[in-house]
Each structure stands twice: as C-alpha cells, then as structure tokens.
Amino acid sequence: MSVKQLLSGFAEMASRADVFGGTHGNLSAREGVFSMLIKPSGVPFREIREPCRALFDAKGEILQVIGGLNPSVDAPHHAKIYAKNPGIQAICHSHSKYVVAHAIGGYDIPCLSTEQADVFGGGIDCLTYSDFNSWGDQVANLQQANSAVLLERHGALTFSAVSPLDAVKLACRLEDVAEKNFLAEQLHRHPIWPMDQKEVMKWRVRYVEGYGQKK
C-alpha cells in the first residue's frame, strides 16, 4: 500500500466524526511482508501529512520505527495481526458509540439483517478481555474469515484485503449495523434470533459476486 492510499483513509475518518471522534481509533496498511504504515499517536486525522513506518519480524515484534513521530500505541497489536495473517492489507480500529456499547457488555453482534449478511457474511464475534497487552495476539490467532471483530470493553477492528479506505468504510458499516440491531431489540422488546447461516451466505454471495458493475 502507498502513503497516498493511507492518507485517503485518514481523510474519510476525518469526515466521519460520528464514528471516529477526536483522535480515537487508528488505521494502518501493510507496506511489505514485514512492514506497515500506521497513524501517528494522538494526531487528528485531518492533520496527518505523513504516517509512521514500522518494521516487524515474523512473530510480529516491532524492530524499528521510521519517522519523526511516535506511532499509534496500538502499533504492536497491528504488527502481530499482519505477521500472522498475510491476506490482511489494512486494519481500522474504532471506538464508535454502538459498537463500544456492545463491546462493554461483551456482546457479539448477531446477524439479524440481510444488510449485515451482505457486508459481513454473518455475526461479529466479541473477544473476551484478557489483559492490557494481549488483544493483538488474540486477534492474530483467530481462525476465521470475518472482516470485523469486537474487543470486550474496548472497541472494534475491521480488516480489508483491498485498501485502508475499504477498512474505514467497513468500520462505518459496522457502527451502522450495531445501531440498527440495538434499535430493533428495543423496538421488539424481546431477543431477535439470528438469520440462518445458509440464508446469510446466499445474501453474502450475491452481494460479493453480483452487486455493482462487475463483469
């Protein structure tokens, strides 16, 4: 990924204060097999002119940071995820309202709608909080094809095999889904059962293979 691609992701984050308030959250992109570009720590999204570059080893341990600014405090977690998941090209971390409301309670986001089936292909898991330093390992060791995961008492991660901008847009869709699920539960005043997974996959395949101007 290029610096220009990552900056386009930061621009989108800056435009979505409803999902990325203040300097909360971050975005990174794989630059090479063992290198990544990532948000500087505490810098507002619209003020970022140059991301930090971090080199890491096969275990996901950061070896060197290049650039004058300190990288996001979550850089070690991103490095571990990239090291163990070669298909992931970008990671977006968010602390949006309805997503965090689910995460605080340790609640998964079950697939209740065809919209969620289209975009995420099923429910979103919430990983149980372990300790301050371990969530990067927890996510990196997940054996699932999901493009998003919640972190108990913390927030969410979305993953893209395409681009940083795609990872940001997934974070926005995740917040939208979380809000709609919450409102549906309040409206109906009783638990809503998740969609049958076979039916979920019909919607997902149609969306991935048939939606838009595909040839």
Side-chain angles (χ1 to χ4, degrees):
M1 294 290 169
S2 68
V3 171
K4 183 178 179 180
Q5 287 175 299
L6 191 60
L7 292 178
S8 70
F10 291 139
E12 181 70 13
M13 294 171 86
S15 73
R16 292 297 306 268
D18 56 323
V19 179
F20 305 99
T23 60
H24 289 173
N26 58 56
L27 180 67
S28 69
R30 185 190 294 274
E31 188 183 35
V33 178
F34 295 120
S35 65
M36 67 177 176
L37 301 169
I38 192 166
K39 177 184 180 290
S41 180
V43 179
F45 301 110
R46 65 177 69 256
E47 295 179 13
I48 299 173
R49 299 293 178 266
E50 188 74 23
C52 297
R53 178 176 283 105
L55 310 181
F56 53 90
D57 61 21
K59 295 181 179 179
E61 299 295 330
I62 292 181
L63 303 175
Q64 183 181 6
V65 175
I66 302 171
L69 299 175
N70 293 326
S72 164
V73 293
D74 291 328
H77 305 305
H78 286 231
K80 289 182 183 297
I81 296 168
Y82 284 126
K84 295 190 178 181
N85 297 274
I88 292 177
Q89 299 300 310
I91 302 169
C92 182
H93 183 35
S94 60
H95 295 270
S96 53
K97 186 185 301 182
Y98 286 90
V99 163
V100 171
H102 282 78
I104 287 172
Y107 302 131
D108 299 336
I109 301 179
C111 187
L112 305 183
S113 66
T114 59
E115 177 187 10
Q116 186 171 338
D118 283 347
V119 178
F120 294 103
I124 310 300
D125 297 332
C126 184
L127 298 184
T128 302
Y129 180 83
S130 178
D131 61 54
F132 180 76
N133 292 313
S134 68
W135 66 256
D137 290 304
Q138 286 180 276
V139 178
N141 290 325
L142 278 180
Q143 297 300 312
Q144 61 175 27
N146 290 356
S147 54
V149 67
L150 302 190
L151 307 167
E152 187 180 26
R153 301 184 181 275
H154 189 57
L157 296 168
T158 50
F159 315 104
S160 175
V162 179
S163 70
L165 183 59
D166 183 57
V168 172
K169 290 182 177 180
L170 281 173
C172 295
R173 297 297 294 272
L174 182 61
E175 173 65 4
D176 188 50
V177 164
E179 180 179 6
K180 289 172 179 175
N181 280 15
F182 172 80
L183 293 174
E185 295 280 7
Q186 302 308 304
L187 177 65
H188 292 278
R189 301 172 192 265
H190 62 77
I192 302 174
W193 298 110
M195 292 177 62
D196 179 81
Q197 188 59 32
K198 290 182 180 179
E199 199 65 19
V200 167
M201 291 313 298
K202 291 178 185 177
W203 286 91
R204 175 63 174 166
V205 170
R206 190 190 73 162
Y207 181 77
V208 172
E209 297 181 359
Y211 183 78
Q213 304 302 312
K214 298 182 174 68
K215 295 182 179 180

